[in-house]
Amino acid sequence: MILPNKYKAIISMAIRQQLVQWSQLVGRIILYGVIVYLFYQVFQSVKAEPNRVWYLAITEWVILSTSSVAFQISRDIQSGQIVYFMLRPMHYLVFRFCECMGTSLVRFILLGFCCFLLGFFLIGAMPEKTYLWTWITGILFSILGVLLYSLILVLIGLLSFWIKEIQVLVYLNLTATFCFGGLIVPLDFYSDFLKKISFCTPYPWILWWPAQWLTDTVNLSHAFLGWSFWMFFLVICIGILYEKCLKFFVVEGG
Amino acid sequence: MNTIVVQNLVKHFSTALKANGSFYQRIKNYISPRHYTVVAVDNISFTLKAGERVAFIGPNGAGKSTTIKILTGIMQPTAGYVEVLNQKPNIHRKQLTYQIGAVFGQRSQLWYHLPVQETLALLGAIYDIPSVEYQKRLGDLTEKFNIVPLLNKPVRQLSLGERMRCEIVASFLHKPSVLFLDEPTIGLDITAKTIIRDLIKEQSEQQGTTLLLTSHDTDDIEKVCDRVIIIDKGKLILDDSLNNLKTNYIRKKVVSVVTEEEFITWDRVGTTVLMRSPHHLKIEIDLTKNTTEKVIAEFLETYTLKDLTIEGPSLETIIQTLYRHDITQ
């Protein structure tokens, strides 16, 4: 699929806007460093294997890279700014998604450097799987994780048409990511029942899959199929919901 | 050629009633809410020709925004016929976006942290303007709106007046045939307001752009528009030229006279004395009961006039009167 030039231009603008807001980037890097360091200390005290720190560094990398597109969409809907965007020859949601991708890309690259520097500095060694292609595919999978997570946030943002305050939903989503995605502890540590529940949600394909691929083993075809299913499912849901939102917008004003 | 055709436009909103009372009633209402219908636009019709500059005004909640949203295709009408540039907005919204533009005084289309130039370039890409054509239009508009020195400044560093000039350039960049302006001068100082009004009018005259202006500032209307459409409670209450509005809808005039005589006595039908001092009298004429010519003739018969001034009400007063339905139909 070829992305039209207008959407490429939006991604490029978002990248520049994110680079200009360097203080926000520094804050995010500090937050990332503190989280990884704290858990490194915790894992050391329980004598966990070094790969656990790498696992956490990778999952946090994915989560902190993703732009808060849900709040952006919510603000547009609540303030009526969405009307301004709908008067342009572009798809509003694709515009916001591209903007989110641009912002996330800058964060992903910077936090990626931090992830490997910090991981190497704290552990003193790379994860066990150090083949170059493993790393390249691992990074690609992490990008896919960011994509999937962004789609969930777009879906939550759209719910602003009905729910005035989406903050609760965003926090619930974060909690679900924490629990079902294996943000801190890999899903292999879960009981069978909890693991089954987790795999019924999209969250393992956001965090567990890329982190597990880089630090342990994972069935690549299963993982990719699961990711594709959730991407397809979410795109369909967002499409239907957006159409409903437009109808609602037409009815209620805005 | 008509650019906008609106015939018997109706828009109803169905709004859920908020439940009060017991917990049971609230739950019941939540499961099966009762609705009531709000008539936002009530059977209005008008047409706009190419290049016309029309003020579309009314008090808050009159139905202006709803009508504009229908004209832009964002909302669907409940009934009636709408055509913008020979297209039905609710069906051809995407195609229409290339030919229409909007300026909302209280919102911004510029990227806050980036230089103005970058947003303009992005808009060039969004509207698929070829590079050479974009450079030409950018050069013309930036020079005309005097924003060349602002192009490399981040938007956050611009004053409100500067930002509005950039917003308008951004809206004219794709040469829209119809431009919707919503309070384009809100919050600006007098100098900035004058500049913005002049530039909008000049640009519209040169490009033949149809303007539909919504503003509570009557100076915006007077300086930019030739025609006024007033709606209230969803109904069209007036559609006339600005000149006709000023001449036909004036019910009162104020006459001030300076006379040779020190004491002036005055008591005539349809007039009210507003101020009386030695050699000076100020009266208000109710034009439904008397005429200015008659009053002046009577003055001339009785007193020796040294000076005479006649003042009509401001456009603001006329519009306020119309809003109050205080005018003879």
Side-chain angles (χ1 to χ4, degrees), chain A residues 167-203:
Chain A
Q167 259 164 347
V168 177
L169 289 178
V170 172
Y171 290 123
L172 276 176
N173 177 56
L174 199 64
T175 312
T177 315
F178 181 87
C179 298
F180 302 125
L183 183 69
I184 295 165
V185 182
L187 297 181
D188 308 78
F189 287 77
Y190 286 21
S191 67
D192 279 349
F193 173 70
L194 205 57
K195 214 193 283 187
K196 271 181 192 160
I197 291 177
S198 298
F199 279 105
C200 290
T201 70
Y203 300 106

Side-chain angles (χ1 to χ4, degrees), chain A residues 6 9-10 13-14 16-17 20-21 79-81 83-84 86-90 99 249-254, chain B residues 11 13-14 69 72 74-76 93 97-98 102 104 107-109 111 113-114 118 122 125-128:
Chain A
K6 61 180 83 177
I10 291 163
M13 280 287 275
R16 272 172 280 168
Q17 172 121 313
V20 169
Q21 293 172 280
S79 68
Q81 181 85 7
V83 173
Y84 226 148
M86 286 172 74
L87 291 176
R88 306 252 170 74
M90 61 180 187
E99 191 191 8
F249 180 72
V250 167
V251 174
E252 288 292 336
Chain B
K11 179 68 190 173
F13 290 125
S14 178
K69 279 175 192 161
T72 53
I74 292 170
M75 274 189 187
Q76 291 187 6
R93 187 172 68 85
T97 53
Y98 283 96
F104 297 118
R107 305 192 195 288
S108 180
Q109 55 189 319
W111 288 54
H113 294 284
L114 295 178
E118 306 221 7
L122 177 68
I126 287 174
Y127 284 101
D128 301 315

Side-chain angles (χ1 to χ4, degrees), chain B residues 58-97:
Chain B
N60 290 331
K64 304 181 298 279
S65 304
T66 306
T67 309
I68 288 174
K69 279 175 192 161
I70 292 170
L71 291 178
T72 53
I74 292 170
M75 274 189 187
Q76 291 187 6
T78 307
Y81 179 79
V82 178
E83 193 183 277
V84 178
L85 300 160
N86 300 320
Q87 295 176 88
K88 288 181 181 168
N90 57 330
I91 298 168
H92 306 108
R93 187 172 68 85
K94 278 176 194 162
Q95 294 94 307
L96 204 58
T97 53

Side-chain angles (χ1 to χ4, degrees), chain B residues 161-194:
Chain B
E162 290 173 332
R163 185 175 70 75
M164 273 319 291
R165 273 188 286 153
C166 298
E167 296 278 356
I168 293 165
V169 166
S171 298
F172 273 114
L173 202 59
H174 62 289
K175 277 193 179 171
S177 302
V178 178
L179 187 65
F180 298 96
L181 298 145
D182 186 4
E183 303 276 2
T185 62
I186 196 163
L188 300 180
D189 62 48
I190 298 164
T191 321
K193 275 184 181 188
T194 311

Side-chain angles (χ1 to χ4, degrees), chain A residues 127-243:
Chain A
E128 283 164 17
K129 298 165 83 179
T130 49
Y131 301 111
L132 183 64
W133 77 273
T134 319
W135 278 101
I136 292 168
T137 42
I139 290 167
L140 283 175
F141 296 160
S142 303
I143 294 171
L144 296 184
V146 172
L147 276 171
L148 191 57
Y149 194 52
S150 303
L151 280 187
I152 293 175
L153 293 177
V154 168
L155 191 72
I156 292 171
L158 273 181
L159 292 172
S160 285
F161 273 104
W162 289 278
I163 304 157
K164 299 296 166 210
E165 288 297 327
I166 57 151
Q167 259 164 347
V168 177
L169 289 178
V170 172
Y171 290 123
L172 276 176
N173 177 56
L174 199 64
T175 312
T177 315
F178 181 87
C179 298
F180 302 125
L183 183 69
I184 295 165
V185 182
L187 297 181
D188 308 78
F189 287 77
Y190 286 21
S191 67
D192 279 349
F193 173 70
L194 205 57
K195 214 193 283 187
K196 271 181 192 160
I197 291 177
S198 298
F199 279 105
C200 290
T201 70
Y203 300 106
W205 283 274
I206 296 168
L207 300 176
W208 176 80
W209 171 36
Q212 187 76 353
W213 169 252
L214 283 167
T215 57
D216 209 323
T217 51
V218 69
N219 185 325
L220 214 56
S221 55
H222 282 184
F224 196 73
L225 269 174
W227 178 85
S228 306
F229 165 77
W230 281 110
M231 280 298 279
F232 180 74
F233 179 76
L234 283 168
V235 167
I236 296 290
C237 284
I238 288 168
I240 293 169
L241 195 68
Y242 187 60
E243 284 305 313

